[in-house]
Amino acid sequence: MTTKSLTFPRLFPRPKADTGIWSWIGTVDHKRIGTLYGITAFIWFIVGGIEALLLRVQLARPENDFLDPEAFNQLFTMHGTTMVFLVVMPLSAAFFNWLIPLQIGARDVAFPRLNAFSFWVFLLGSLLLNVSWITGDAPNGGWFGYAPNSSTTFNPGIGMTYWVVGLNILGVASIAAGLNFIVTILNMRAPGMTMFKLPIFTWMTLITSVLIVLAMPVLAVAGIQLLSDRVYGTYFFDSLGGGDPVLWQNIFWLFGHPEVYILILPAMGIVSEVLPTFARKPLFGYPFVVFAGAAIAFMGWFVWAHHMFTVGLGPAANSAFAISTMLIAVPTGVKIFNWLGTLWRGNIRLNTPMLFSISFIAMFTIGGLSGVMHASPPTDAQQQDTYFVVAHFHYVLVGGALLGIFSGIYFWWPKFTGWFLNEKLGLTNWALMLIGFNFTFGPMHWLGMDGMPRRIYTYAEDMGWETSNLFSTIGSMLLGLGILVFIINVFYSKMNKKMASADPWDGRTLEWSVPSPPPPHDFDEIPQVKYRDDFWFKKHPETIAQYYHDEHDDQDQAVPSGAQFDGDDEAVAVPAVAENKSNGHGHGGIHLPDMSYYPFVLSVGITIFGAGFLTNTYVIAAGVPFFLWGLLGWSMEPVNDPE
Ligand code: HEM
Ligand SMILES: [Cu+2]
């Protein structure tokens, strides 16, 4: 007896064609969603960069009046919030979307419509946050929104309500995406791909997704409490009503420190893919790199109060958090030595992606070392809230996360598009970014040690800070120029296409086994995986014995040293670089989920809900029809319409 499944009346036809705006609104293809994340996040990068340059222009000389204090507060708050939540996190999500199914040998993520939903909620949440600029009320309480400055008592404008509503909506997007990638990586691996055959980037994606699913709800709790304080007059963080402003700091940093690993681990995963490819060696100490990543993610939950050494928690708490913070340097150091071990005696090929990755190691190490410095409470008492801290987190977030992401862009661009980015422009982009970066943030170390506080909109003539600040501002312009060269490179290379094969770099992992760009269904056949770096050893079986006779994991059983490969390999081999002719709807009879516009509709409903808290809560009601339409339509929509 077949159960007649309930269907929800359609207001619009289900998108079918894969061209035109409707096909993007309805897409559930991980590659397209990756592209949407990438383009949107890059646009926010330009916005966040311009916000930073305006700050630098104001600080270029003492007692400048280019910006007034309120504008300065709004700019650094939005710059920090944008770069963290609208740039680095979604750029990493762009790579997750593009690469994870390809690296694990799957045709898509576990929940394609949920994947689309997470993108649309991210987009609409980021737009809502930036509408605040248009209403002239951008958030101004800093990217960590400390109470009581973020309360309506001290901050009556609507800016910080935009901030907390925006972050809560973005949190929904991140959690949905995090869940999706955890399930995808654990459940959709190709046959034979055991956990310790996963590419490192996939491992770092898994660890980052677990961190996202655990950390974003913590921010959501603080956000809902702050929203309720601001809109409904509760006293969670207001000591006048028995609340506790320090509670905000504790909750925010309980989220905030794991957040910094959510920002850096994907870049570490990218670098761990690029270095072996251009050193033509497997990653040195693969298991150590995996465990170090997991250890960093785990230990990251026990250090949050190092952001509060000067709050007055007392020597016992300070000492405990100082020790836990310094301990994190150990797994971080392990990773750095494994990257150096990979380069050691490698057959190094220095091109743009490799130079960005090597720069990542150097700049991130500088950022890490200044971090260890202010892990000691007495030192931090001098450095807290000074430009030394601003230098520190830009060395780890720009020198680390951003340079790592640029390495990934140049590395996988041929895979995503089928053509290369121009190498000469790439090298110019790299050089300008690296020099500009160090000119901008290098001087901030000694400005901070010399006592320059962060977040001040100007400084007096006689403080002796003018030369370093001017230098820093010139540096930020160079950095901006470097980003401009990247944009020129994209358009120049698009107009002068140098086509790329499926495997332009002689890669190691499965994404290089499918055409560039991959067809909608990714793999004609799901690969059978036998080795770590499976695709490399399928191409270079002569190198297997060289690498596997020492390691005592299951590969040993699979590959006795000196053994020649027999024919069975052929049976399982993927037609690596064969051009596939089956793209188009049929996809050679391969099952692919149909498009759906309900994730978009549901995200519109959620965003209107959020907007309700910014205007008056009756507006929330306007979100209900979209919310119900999206939710019911989606839950009653079959993955594929019956032919
Ligand atoms: C691309 C070039 C960048 C430049 C020139 C730049 C410059 C600045 C400047 C001048 C400040 C204000 C410092 C102050 O007044 O206290 C700042 C703050 C900040 N930046 Fe950047 N930044 C850049 C990129 C980034 C990136 C990529 C991230 C993160 C992923 C980031 C995260 C932050 C954060 C979190 C703050 C603190 C905001 C606050 O105090 O609330 N920045 N940046
Ligand atoms: Cu921290």
Side-chain angles (χ1 to χ4, degrees), residues 287-337:
F288 288 92
V289 176
V290 172
F291 284 121
I296 288 173
F298 178 73
M299 294 160 81
W301 286 95
F302 305 102
V303 298
W304 80 89
H306 66 216
H307 294 272
M308 301 161 65
F309 279 154
T310 55
V311 164
L313 300 176
N318 278 3
S319 317
F321 282 99
I323 294 164
S324 62
T325 304
M326 290 190 185
L327 282 176
I328 280 195
V330 176
T332 314
V334 165
K335 276 188 178 269
I336 290 169
F337 284 112

Side-chain angles (χ1 to χ4, degrees), residues 6 10 29 137 199 225 239 280 326 352 378 393-394 626 641:
L6 279 177
R10 271 191 186 285
D29 176 344
D137 243 323
Q225 291 174 325
S239 48
R280 296 181 71 71
M326 290 190 185
T352 307
F393 65 69
H394 282 98
F626 287 94
D641 281 350

Side-chain angles (χ1 to χ4, degrees), residues 52 76 79-80 83 88 142-143 387 393-394 398 441 454-455 479:
F76 70 62
H79 161 76
M83 287 298 192
V88 174
W143 90 276
Y387 259 86
F393 65 69
H394 282 98
V398 181
F441 301 107
R454 62 186 288 188
R455 293 177 167 175
L479 184 48

Side-chain angles (χ1 to χ4, degrees), residues 177-424:
L179 282 171
N180 216 336
F181 285 103
I182 295 170
V183 177
T184 303
I185 294 169
L186 295 181
N187 289 354
M188 298 183 66
R189 282 166 286 129
M193 185 173 271
T194 53
M195 292 304 282
F196 272 76
K197 292 193 183 105
L198 281 177
I200 283 284
F201 181 76
T202 300
W203 257 115
M204 294 307 124
T205 303
L206 178 63
I207 296 170
T208 305
S209 301
V210 171
L211 275 180
I212 287 174
V213 168
L214 296 176
M216 298 312 285
V218 176
L219 179 66
V221 168
I224 291 164
Q225 291 174 325
L226 179 61
L227 185 63
S228 143
D229 276 12
R230 290 188 60 83
V231 177
Y232 299 113
T234 53
Y235 294 97
F236 285 102
F237 307 116
D238 193 339
S239 48
L240 292 178
D244 174 9
V246 176
L247 172 67
W248 170 268
Q249 296 193 29
N250 274 309
I251 306 179
F252 182 87
W253 288 117
L254 186 63
F255 146 79
H257 195 86
E259 170 67 10
V260 304
Y261 295 121
I262 290 170
L263 297 174
I264 199 68
L265 285 169
M268 288 178 164
I270 292 172
V271 167
S272 305
E273 299 280 347
V274 171
L275 295 175
T277 305
F278 297 120
R280 296 181 71 71
K281 279 175 58 178
L283 182 71
F284 183 84
Y286 169 99
F288 288 92
V289 176
V290 172
F291 284 121
I296 288 173
F298 178 73
M299 294 160 81
W301 286 95
F302 305 102
V303 298
W304 80 89
H306 66 216
H307 294 272
M308 301 161 65
F309 279 154
T310 55
V311 164
L313 300 176
N318 278 3
S319 317
F321 282 99
I323 294 164
S324 62
T325 304
M326 290 190 185
L327 282 176
I328 280 195
V330 176
T332 314
V334 165
K335 276 188 178 269
I336 290 169
F337 284 112
N338 279 310
W339 291 322
L340 297 177
T342 307
L343 293 172
W344 181 253
R345 294 225 178 110
N347 171 358
I348 308 282
R349 186 171 157 197
L350 274 185
N351 55 15
T352 307
M354 190 58 159
L355 287 167
F356 269 115
S357 274
I358 292 171
S359 312
F360 165 97
I361 302 175
M363 297 303 119
F364 178 74
T365 305
I366 295 173
L369 289 174
S370 62
V372 174
M373 287 179 201
H374 38 250
S376 114
T379 318
D380 186 63
Q382 158 136 16
Q383 295 167 355
Q384 170 71 329
D385 275 343
T386 74
Y387 259 86
F388 191 92
V389 171
V390 177
H392 159 71
F393 65 69
H394 282 98
Y395 266 81
V396 285
L397 291 176
V398 181
L402 209 64
L403 293 187
I405 284 170
F406 268 80
S407 176
I409 292 174
Y410 277 92
F411 184 55
W412 280 297
W413 190 277
K415 177 52 59 185
F416 300 159
T417 61
W419 41 277
F420 289 98
L421 285 171
N422 178 279
E423 185 59 8
K424 283 208 181 60

Side-chain angles (χ1 to χ4, degrees), residues 53 68 249 255 302 425 507 563 629:
L53 294 181
D68 65 43
Q249 296 193 29
F255 146 79
F302 305 102
L425 286 171
W629 174 25

Side-chain angles (χ1 to χ4, degrees), residues 419-490:
W419 41 277
F420 289 98
L421 285 171
N422 178 279
E423 185 59 8
K424 283 208 181 60
L425 286 171
L427 293 174
T428 316
N429 171 192
W430 165 73
L432 281 171
M433 273 183 79
L434 190 64
I435 296 167
F437 162 75
N438 279 295
F439 279 22
T440 309
F441 301 107
M444 290 182 181
H445 287 99
W446 49 88
L447 279 170
M449 293 308 279
D450 197 31
M452 183 176 177
R454 62 186 288 188
R455 293 177 167 175
I456 53 170
Y457 86 106
T458 190
Y459 48 94
E461 193 100 42
D462 56 2
M463 295 306 284
W465 298 336
E466 51 277 11
T467 320
S468 299
N469 271 294
L470 182 60
F471 204 76
S472 173
T473 300
I474 294 167
S476 68
M477 299 303 164
L478 274 181
L479 184 48
L481 191 62
I483 311 292
L484 190 61
V485 170
F486 169 74
I487 297 168
I488 293 168
N489 195 350
V490 170

